[in-house]
mmCIF file of all heavy atoms in Angstrom:
data_model
loop_
_atom_site.group_PDB
_atom_site.id
_atom_site.type_symbol
_atom_site.label_atom_id
_atom_site.label_comp_id
_atom_site.label_asym_id
_atom_site.label_seq_id
_atom_site.Cartn_x
_atom_site.Cartn_y
_atom_site.Cartn_z
ATOM 1 N N GLY A 1048 27.145 145.701 103.028
ATOM 2 C CA GLY A 1048 27.118 146.695 104.088
ATOM 3 C C GLY A 1048 27.314 148.075 103.493
ATOM 4 O O GLY A 1048 26.649 148.463 102.529
ATOM 5 N N ALA A 1049 28.288 148.830 104.034
ATOM 6 C CA ALA A 1049 28.576 150.171 103.528
ATOM 7 C C ALA A 1049 29.678 150.179 102.477
ATOM 8 O O ALA A 1049 30.014 151.244 101.954
ATOM 9 C CB ALA A 1049 28.962 151.082 104.691
ATOM 10 N N ALA A 1050 30.256 149.021 102.161
ATOM 11 C CA ALA A 1050 31.356 148.942 101.202
ATOM 12 C C ALA A 1050 30.840 148.568 99.811
ATOM 13 O O ALA A 1050 29.865 147.836 99.665
ATOM 14 C CB ALA A 1050 32.383 147.917 101.662
ATOM 15 N N VAL A 1051 31.539 149.079 98.812
ATOM 16 C CA VAL A 1051 31.265 148.715 97.426
ATOM 17 C C VAL A 1051 32.536 148.108 96.859
ATOM 18 O O VAL A 1051 33.623 148.696 96.990
ATOM 19 C CB VAL A 1051 30.835 149.935 96.584
ATOM 20 C CG1 VAL A 1051 30.531 149.512 95.140
ATOM 21 C CG2 VAL A 1051 29.625 150.618 97.206
ATOM 22 N N ILE A 1052 32.433 146.930 96.258
ATOM 23 C CA ILE A 1052 33.601 146.243 95.729
ATOM 24 C C ILE A 1052 33.345 145.806 94.290
ATOM 25 O O ILE A 1052 32.206 145.675 93.850
ATOM 26 C CB ILE A 1052 33.983 145.022 96.582
ATOM 27 C CG1 ILE A 1052 32.900 143.929 96.484
ATOM 28 C CG2 ILE A 1052 34.214 145.423 98.038
ATOM 29 C CD1 ILE A 1052 33.312 142.624 97.147
ATOM 30 N N ARG A 1053 34.433 145.604 93.561
ATOM 31 C CA ARG A 1053 34.347 145.062 92.214
ATOM 32 C C ARG A 1053 34.979 143.675 92.206
ATOM 33 O O ARG A 1053 36.118 143.504 92.664
ATOM 34 C CB ARG A 1053 35.095 145.962 91.225
ATOM 35 C CG ARG A 1053 34.977 145.516 89.762
ATOM 36 C CD ARG A 1053 35.832 146.371 88.860
ATOM 37 N NE ARG A 1053 37.246 146.185 89.162
ATOM 38 C CZ ARG A 1053 38.174 147.132 88.991
ATOM 39 N NH1 ARG A 1053 37.823 148.336 88.571
ATOM 40 N NH2 ARG A 1053 39.440 146.876 89.264
ATOM 41 N N VAL A 1054 34.264 142.698 91.688
ATOM 42 C CA VAL A 1054 34.789 141.337 91.606
ATOM 43 C C VAL A 1054 35.619 141.244 90.320
ATOM 44 O O VAL A 1054 35.083 141.375 89.220
ATOM 45 C CB VAL A 1054 33.654 140.297 91.611
ATOM 46 C CG1 VAL A 1054 34.228 138.884 91.540
ATOM 47 C CG2 VAL A 1054 32.805 140.453 92.875
ATOM 48 N N ASP A 1055 36.908 141.008 90.495
ATOM 49 C CA ASP A 1055 37.834 141.129 89.366
ATOM 50 C C ASP A 1055 38.093 139.827 88.624
ATOM 51 O O ASP A 1055 38.128 139.809 87.395
ATOM 52 C CB ASP A 1055 39.169 141.705 89.851
ATOM 53 C CG ASP A 1055 39.021 143.127 90.339
ATOM 54 O OD1 ASP A 1055 38.282 143.898 89.708
ATOM 55 O OD2 ASP A 1055 39.635 143.475 91.366
ATOM 56 N N ARG A 1056 38.297 138.736 89.369
ATOM 57 C CA ARG A 1056 38.642 137.498 88.668
ATOM 58 C C ARG A 1056 38.543 136.306 89.617
ATOM 59 O O ARG A 1056 38.530 136.474 90.836
ATOM 60 C CB ARG A 1056 40.036 137.583 88.065
ATOM 61 C CG ARG A 1056 41.184 137.720 89.053
ATOM 62 C CD ARG A 1056 42.483 137.886 88.276
ATOM 63 N NE ARG A 1056 43.646 138.068 89.116
ATOM 64 C CZ ARG A 1056 44.376 137.081 89.622
ATOM 65 N NH1 ARG A 1056 44.025 135.828 89.418
ATOM 66 N NH2 ARG A 1056 45.447 137.337 90.342
ATOM 67 N N PRO A 1057 38.505 135.096 89.053
ATOM 68 C CA PRO A 1057 38.504 133.902 89.907
ATOM 69 C C PRO A 1057 39.820 133.762 90.668
ATOM 70 O O PRO A 1057 40.864 134.264 90.247
ATOM 71 C CB PRO A 1057 38.320 132.754 88.897
ATOM 72 C CG PRO A 1057 37.750 133.384 87.675
ATOM 73 C CD PRO A 1057 38.340 134.766 87.632
ATOM 74 N N ASP A 1058 39.745 133.078 91.791
ATOM 75 C CA ASP A 1058 40.901 132.830 92.647
ATOM 76 C C ASP A 1058 41.501 131.469 92.267
ATOM 77 O O ASP A 1058 40.919 130.423 92.530
ATOM 78 C CB ASP A 1058 40.444 132.824 94.109
ATOM 79 C CG ASP A 1058 41.590 132.698 95.098
ATOM 80 O OD1 ASP A 1058 42.700 132.347 94.673
ATOM 81 O OD2 ASP A 1058 41.343 132.945 96.297
ATOM 82 N N ARG A 1059 42.673 131.514 91.605
ATOM 83 C CA ARG A 1059 43.343 130.273 91.213
ATOM 84 C C ARG A 1059 44.064 129.703 92.422
ATOM 85 O O ARG A 1059 44.882 130.368 93.048
ATOM 86 C CB ARG A 1059 44.314 130.516 90.069
ATOM 87 C CG ARG A 1059 44.913 129.216 89.517
ATOM 88 C CD ARG A 1059 45.653 129.449 88.216
ATOM 89 N NE ARG A 1059 46.198 128.206 87.706
ATOM 90 C CZ ARG A 1059 45.524 127.315 87.007
ATOM 91 N NH1 ARG A 1059 44.246 127.534 86.726
ATOM 92 N NH2 ARG A 1059 46.093 126.206 86.578
ATOM 93 N N ARG A 1060 43.793 128.446 92.727
ATOM 94 C CA ARG A 1060 44.260 127.848 93.972
ATOM 95 C C ARG A 1060 45.585 127.108 93.798
ATOM 96 O O ARG A 1060 45.981 126.709 92.699
ATOM 97 C CB ARG A 1060 43.188 126.901 94.500
ATOM 98 C CG ARG A 1060 41.911 127.622 94.892
ATOM 99 C CD ARG A 1060 42.145 128.602 96.025
ATOM 100 N NE ARG A 1060 40.935 129.288 96.441
ATOM 101 C CZ ARG A 1060 40.824 129.947 97.583
ATOM 102 N NH1 ARG A 1060 41.836 130.003 98.421
ATOM 103 N NH2 ARG A 1060 39.698 130.577 97.892
ATOM 104 N N CYS A 1061 46.269 126.918 94.935
ATOM 105 C CA CYS A 1061 47.567 126.251 94.955
ATOM 106 C C CYS A 1061 47.592 125.269 96.126
ATOM 107 O O CYS A 1061 46.582 125.033 96.789
ATOM 108 C CB CYS A 1061 48.692 127.270 95.073
ATOM 109 S SG CYS A 1061 48.669 128.168 96.649
ATOM 110 N N ALA A 1062 48.763 124.738 96.409
ATOM 111 C CA ALA A 1062 48.897 123.696 97.431
ATOM 112 C C ALA A 1062 48.543 124.166 98.838
ATOM 113 O O ALA A 1062 48.301 123.345 99.728
ATOM 114 C CB ALA A 1062 50.320 123.147 97.413
ATOM 115 N N VAL A 1063 48.478 125.475 99.064
ATOM 116 C CA VAL A 1063 48.137 125.998 100.393
ATOM 117 C C VAL A 1063 46.798 125.448 100.879
ATOM 118 O O VAL A 1063 46.610 125.194 102.072
ATOM 119 C CB VAL A 1063 48.124 127.540 100.361
ATOM 120 C CG1 VAL A 1063 47.392 128.113 101.562
ATOM 121 C CG2 VAL A 1063 49.554 128.076 100.309
ATOM 122 N N VAL A 1064 45.832 125.237 99.976
ATOM 123 C CA VAL A 1064 44.503 124.769 100.402
ATOM 124 C C VAL A 1064 44.547 123.360 100.961
ATOM 125 O O VAL A 1064 43.598 122.919 101.619
ATOM 126 C CB VAL A 1064 43.489 124.840 99.245
ATOM 127 C CG1 VAL A 1064 43.341 126.261 98.746
ATOM 128 C CG2 VAL A 1064 43.864 123.898 98.108
ATOM 129 N N GLY A 1065 45.636 122.641 100.726
ATOM 130 C CA GLY A 1065 45.763 121.285 101.249
ATOM 131 C C GLY A 1065 46.154 121.222 102.710
ATOM 132 O O GLY A 1065 46.145 120.139 103.303
ATOM 133 N N VAL A 1066 46.483 122.359 103.319
ATOM 134 C CA VAL A 1066 46.919 122.383 104.718
ATOM 135 C C VAL A 1066 45.707 122.520 105.636
ATOM 136 O O VAL A 1066 44.952 123.496 105.556
ATOM 137 C CB VAL A 1066 47.909 123.529 104.972
ATOM 138 C CG1 VAL A 1066 48.316 123.567 106.451
ATOM 139 C CG2 VAL A 1066 49.139 123.382 104.084
ATOM 140 N N ASP A 1067 45.524 121.541 106.503
ATOM 141 C CA ASP A 1067 44.419 121.565 107.451
ATOM 142 C C ASP A 1067 44.646 122.697 108.458
ATOM 143 O O ASP A 1067 45.708 122.756 109.093
ATOM 144 C CB ASP A 1067 44.339 120.220 108.187
ATOM 145 C CG ASP A 1067 43.111 120.110 109.068
ATOM 146 O OD1 ASP A 1067 42.996 120.911 110.020
ATOM 147 O OD2 ASP A 1067 42.286 119.223 108.820
ATOM 148 N N PRO A 1068 43.687 123.615 108.636
ATOM 149 C CA PRO A 1068 43.900 124.764 109.515
ATOM 150 C C PRO A 1068 43.942 124.409 110.994
ATOM 151 O O PRO A 1068 44.356 125.238 111.806
ATOM 152 C CB PRO A 1068 42.698 125.663 109.198
ATOM 153 C CG PRO A 1068 41.656 124.739 108.684
ATOM 154 C CD PRO A 1068 42.389 123.665 107.950
ATOM 155 N N VAL A 1069 43.537 123.194 111.352
ATOM 156 C CA VAL A 1069 43.540 122.781 112.755
ATOM 157 C C VAL A 1069 44.762 121.939 113.091
ATOM 158 O O VAL A 1069 45.400 122.121 114.131
ATOM 159 C CB VAL A 1069 42.250 121.995 113.094
ATOM 160 C CG1 VAL A 1069 42.297 121.484 114.528
ATOM 161 C CG2 VAL A 1069 41.027 122.872 112.880
ATOM 162 N N THR A 1070 45.138 121.031 112.192
ATOM 163 C CA THR A 1070 46.228 120.094 112.471
ATOM 164 C C THR A 1070 47.524 120.411 111.722
ATOM 165 O O THR A 1070 48.575 119.882 112.066
ATOM 166 C CB THR A 1070 45.812 118.667 112.085
ATOM 167 O OG1 THR A 1070 45.634 118.604 110.651
ATOM 168 C CG2 THR A 1070 44.507 118.280 112.772
ATOM 169 N N ALA A 1071 47.434 121.237 110.679
ATOM 170 C CA ALA A 1071 48.559 121.561 109.788
ATOM 171 C C ALA A 1071 48.983 120.376 108.916
ATOM 172 O O ALA A 1071 49.991 120.441 108.236
ATOM 173 C CB ALA A 1071 49.761 122.105 110.553
ATOM 174 N N ARG A 1072 48.203 119.309 108.926
ATOM 175 C CA ARG A 1072 48.523 118.173 108.048
ATOM 176 C C ARG A 1072 48.158 118.517 106.607
ATOM 177 O O ARG A 1072 47.182 119.208 106.337
ATOM 178 C CB ARG A 1072 47.760 116.922 108.478
ATOM 179 C CG ARG A 1072 48.155 116.386 109.846
ATOM 180 C CD ARG A 1072 47.574 114.981 110.060
ATOM 181 N NE ARG A 1072 47.841 114.492 111.400
ATOM 182 C CZ ARG A 1072 46.991 114.577 112.413
ATOM 183 N NH1 ARG A 1072 45.800 115.130 112.223
ATOM 184 N NH2 ARG A 1072 47.304 114.111 113.598
ATOM 185 N N ARG A 1073 48.935 117.963 105.672
ATOM 186 C CA ARG A 1073 48.679 118.196 104.244
ATOM 187 C C ARG A 1073 47.705 117.148 103.699
ATOM 188 O O ARG A 1073 47.809 115.973 104.028
ATOM 189 C CB ARG A 1073 49.980 118.126 103.447
ATOM 190 C CG ARG A 1073 50.996 119.219 103.763
ATOM 191 C CD ARG A 1073 52.165 119.078 102.793
ATOM 192 N NE ARG A 1073 53.299 119.912 103.124
ATOM 193 C CZ ARG A 1073 53.481 121.150 102.679
ATOM 194 N NH1 ARG A 1073 52.580 121.692 101.875
ATOM 195 N NH2 ARG A 1073 54.571 121.831 103.014
ATOM 196 N N ASP A 1074 46.824 117.597 102.830
ATOM 197 C CA ASP A 1074 45.925 116.697 102.119
ATOM 198 C C ASP A 1074 45.887 117.134 100.657
ATOM 199 O O ASP A 1074 45.096 118.005 100.273
ATOM 200 C CB ASP A 1074 44.517 116.750 102.724
ATOM 201 C CG ASP A 1074 43.523 115.866 101.973
ATOM 202 O OD1 ASP A 1074 43.938 115.154 101.031
ATOM 203 O OD2 ASP A 1074 42.332 115.902 102.311
ATOM 204 N N PRO A 1075 46.749 116.573 99.820
ATOM 205 C CA PRO A 1075 46.797 116.976 98.407
ATOM 206 C C PRO A 1075 45.511 116.695 97.659
ATOM 207 O O PRO A 1075 45.271 117.236 96.578
ATOM 208 C CB PRO A 1075 47.962 116.159 97.841
ATOM 209 C CG PRO A 1075 48.132 115.009 98.782
ATOM 210 C CD PRO A 1075 47.732 115.514 100.127
ATOM 211 N N GLY A 1076 44.649 115.862 98.227
ATOM 212 C CA GLY A 1076 43.383 115.540 97.582
ATOM 213 C C GLY A 1076 42.479 116.753 97.430
ATOM 214 O O GLY A 1076 41.646 116.802 96.512
ATOM 215 N N VAL A 1077 42.619 117.750 98.309
ATOM 216 C CA VAL A 1077 41.773 118.942 98.226
ATOM 217 C C VAL A 1077 42.026 119.680 96.910
ATOM 218 O O VAL A 1077 41.086 120.036 96.184
ATOM 219 C CB VAL A 1077 42.018 119.876 99.428
ATOM 220 C CG1 VAL A 1077 41.221 121.167 99.270
ATOM 221 C CG2 VAL A 1077 41.642 119.186 100.728
ATOM 222 N N LEU A 1078 43.287 119.919 96.589
ATOM 223 C CA LEU A 1078 43.610 120.619 95.342
ATOM 224 C C LEU A 1078 43.216 119.786 94.123
ATOM 225 O O LEU A 1078 42.742 120.329 93.116
ATOM 226 C CB LEU A 1078 45.098 120.961 95.296
ATOM 227 C CG LEU A 1078 45.530 121.883 94.149
ATOM 228 C CD1 LEU A 1078 44.802 123.222 94.215
ATOM 229 C CD2 LEU A 1078 47.039 122.103 94.179
ATOM 230 N N ARG A 1079 43.364 118.483 94.228
ATOM 231 C CA ARG A 1079 42.962 117.624 93.106
ATOM 232 C C ARG A 1079 41.453 117.724 92.853
ATOM 233 O O ARG A 1079 40.999 117.737 91.703
ATOM 234 C CB ARG A 1079 43.370 116.167 93.365
ATOM 235 C CG ARG A 1079 44.864 115.926 93.230
ATOM 236 C CD ARG A 1079 45.167 114.452 93.077
ATOM 237 N NE ARG A 1079 44.858 113.691 94.281
ATOM 238 C CZ ARG A 1079 45.737 113.411 95.236
ATOM 239 N NH1 ARG A 1079 46.994 113.845 95.124
ATOM 240 N NH2 ARG A 1079 45.391 112.701 96.295
ATOM 241 N N ARG A 1080 40.677 117.808 93.942
ATOM 242 C CA ARG A 1080 39.233 117.929 93.763
ATOM 243 C C ARG A 1080 38.861 119.270 93.142
ATOM 244 O O ARG A 1080 37.943 119.349 92.315
ATOM 245 C CB ARG A 1080 38.508 117.735 95.102
ATOM 246 C CG ARG A 1080 38.540 116.295 95.605
ATOM 247 C CD ARG A 1080 37.545 116.075 96.725
ATOM 248 N NE ARG A 1080 37.835 116.860 97.914
ATOM 249 C CZ ARG A 1080 38.665 116.470 98.882
ATOM 250 N NH1 ARG A 1080 39.326 115.326 98.789
ATOM 251 N NH2 ARG A 1080 38.849 117.231 99.951
ATOM 252 N N ILE A 1081 39.552 120.328 93.542
ATOM 253 C CA ILE A 1081 39.298 121.634 92.932
ATOM 254 C C ILE A 1081 39.612 121.587 91.440
ATOM 255 O O ILE A 1081 38.855 122.108 90.608
ATOM 256 C CB ILE A 1081 40.120 122.730 93.628
ATOM 257 C CG1 ILE A 1081 39.649 122.906 95.072
ATOM 258 C CG2 ILE A 1081 40.012 124.062 92.878
ATOM 259 C CD1 ILE A 1081 40.505 123.841 95.896
ATOM 260 N N ALA A 1082 40.728 120.958 91.098
ATOM 261 C CA ALA A 1082 41.095 120.837 89.686
ATOM 262 C C ALA A 1082 40.039 120.050 88.912
ATOM 263 O O ALA A 1082 39.649 120.426 87.796
ATOM 264 C CB ALA A 1082 42.457 120.164 89.563
ATOM 265 N N ARG A 1083 39.563 118.983 89.505
ATOM 266 C CA ARG A 1083 38.601 118.118 88.818
ATOM 267 C C ARG A 1083 37.224 118.765 88.714
ATOM 268 O O ARG A 1083 36.576 118.702 87.662
ATOM 269 C CB ARG A 1083 38.485 116.786 89.564
ATOM 270 C CG ARG A 1083 37.543 115.786 88.889
ATOM 271 C CD ARG A 1083 37.486 114.470 89.649
ATOM 272 N NE ARG A 1083 36.890 114.604 90.965
ATOM 273 C CZ ARG A 1083 37.529 114.423 92.117
ATOM 274 N NH1 ARG A 1083 38.812 114.083 92.126
ATOM 275 N NH2 ARG A 1083 36.901 114.562 93.279
ATOM 276 N N GLU A 1084 36.774 119.413 89.787
ATOM 277 C CA GLU A 1084 35.415 119.925 89.825
ATOM 278 C C GLU A 1084 35.278 121.345 89.285
ATOM 279 O O GLU A 1084 34.197 121.743 88.841
ATOM 280 C CB GLU A 1084 34.879 119.908 91.271
ATOM 281 C CG GLU A 1084 34.870 118.536 91.923
ATOM 282 C CD GLU A 1084 33.905 117.574 91.251
ATOM 283 O OE1 GLU A 1084 32.945 118.058 90.613
ATOM 284 O OE2 GLU A 1084 34.114 116.351 91.363
ATOM 285 N N HIS A 1085 36.426 122.102 89.307
ATOM 286 C CA HIS A 1085 36.254 123.521 88.962
ATOM 287 C C HIS A 1085 37.487 124.145 88.318
ATOM 288 O O HIS A 1085 37.698 125.353 88.425
ATOM 289 C CB HIS A 1085 35.847 124.306 90.213
ATOM 290 C CG HIS A 1085 35.066 125.531 89.914
ATOM 291 N ND1 HIS A 1085 35.497 126.789 90.251
ATOM 292 C CD2 HIS A 1085 33.867 125.706 89.282
ATOM 293 C CE1 HIS A 1085 34.611 127.687 89.861
ATOM 294 N NE2 HIS A 1085 33.610 127.052 89.270
ATOM 295 N N GLY A 1086 38.293 123.359 87.660
ATOM 296 C CA GLY A 1086 39.380 123.900 86.846
ATOM 297 C C GLY A 1086 40.421 124.706 87.599
ATOM 298 O O GLY A 1086 40.938 125.707 87.089
ATOM 299 N N MET A 1087 40.714 124.333 88.842
ATOM 300 C CA MET A 1087 41.762 124.933 89.679
ATOM 301 C C MET A 1087 41.381 126.262 90.336
ATOM 302 O O MET A 1087 42.170 126.844 91.060
ATOM 303 C CB MET A 1087 43.069 125.121 88.896
ATOM 304 C CG MET A 1087 43.768 123.823 88.553
ATOM 305 S SD MET A 1087 44.310 122.899 90.017
ATOM 306 C CE MET A 1087 45.673 123.908 90.590
ATOM 307 N N THR A 1088 40.177 126.788 90.088
ATOM 308 C CA THR A 1088 39.789 128.029 90.748
ATOM 309 C C THR A 1088 38.669 127.769 91.748
ATOM 310 O O THR A 1088 37.854 126.857 91.578
ATOM 311 C CB THR A 1088 39.320 129.101 89.746
ATOM 312 O OG1 THR A 1088 38.084 128.703 89.156
ATOM 313 C CG2 THR A 1088 40.377 129.328 88.675
ATOM 314 N N LEU A 1089 38.647 128.596 92.801
ATOM 315 C CA LEU A 1089 37.590 128.500 93.810
ATOM 316 C C LEU A 1089 37.506 129.835 94.530
ATOM 317 O O LEU A 1089 38.493 130.295 95.109
ATOM 318 C CB LEU A 1089 37.884 127.381 94.809
ATOM 319 C CG LEU A 1089 36.685 126.945 95.651
ATOM 320 C CD1 LEU A 1089 35.705 126.135 94.789
ATOM 321 C CD2 LEU A 1089 37.118 126.118 96.854
ATOM 322 N N GLY A 1090 36.330 130.467 94.484
ATOM 323 C CA GLY A 1090 36.188 131.793 95.042
ATOM 324 C C GLY A 1090 36.659 132.850 94.063
ATOM 325 O O GLY A 1090 37.045 132.547 92.919
ATOM 326 N N VAL A 1091 36.649 134.103 94.509
ATOM 327 C CA VAL A 1091 37.003 135.222 93.632
ATOM 328 C C VAL A 1091 37.831 136.257 94.383
ATOM 329 O O VAL A 1091 37.773 136.363 95.609
ATOM 330 C CB VAL A 1091 35.738 135.903 93.060
ATOM 331 C CG1 VAL A 1091 35.030 134.981 92.068
ATOM 332 C CG2 VAL A 1091 34.771 136.332 94.168
#
């Protein structure tokens, strides 16, 4: 759009991603999959 941004670094993930945004239930498998598929980072 009208904004200019600089992409600085990958986003290293933590246990927060395991919390379901609808139910608040924890799923530790989400973080494990990020670790396995992408070395603990996802997004920037």
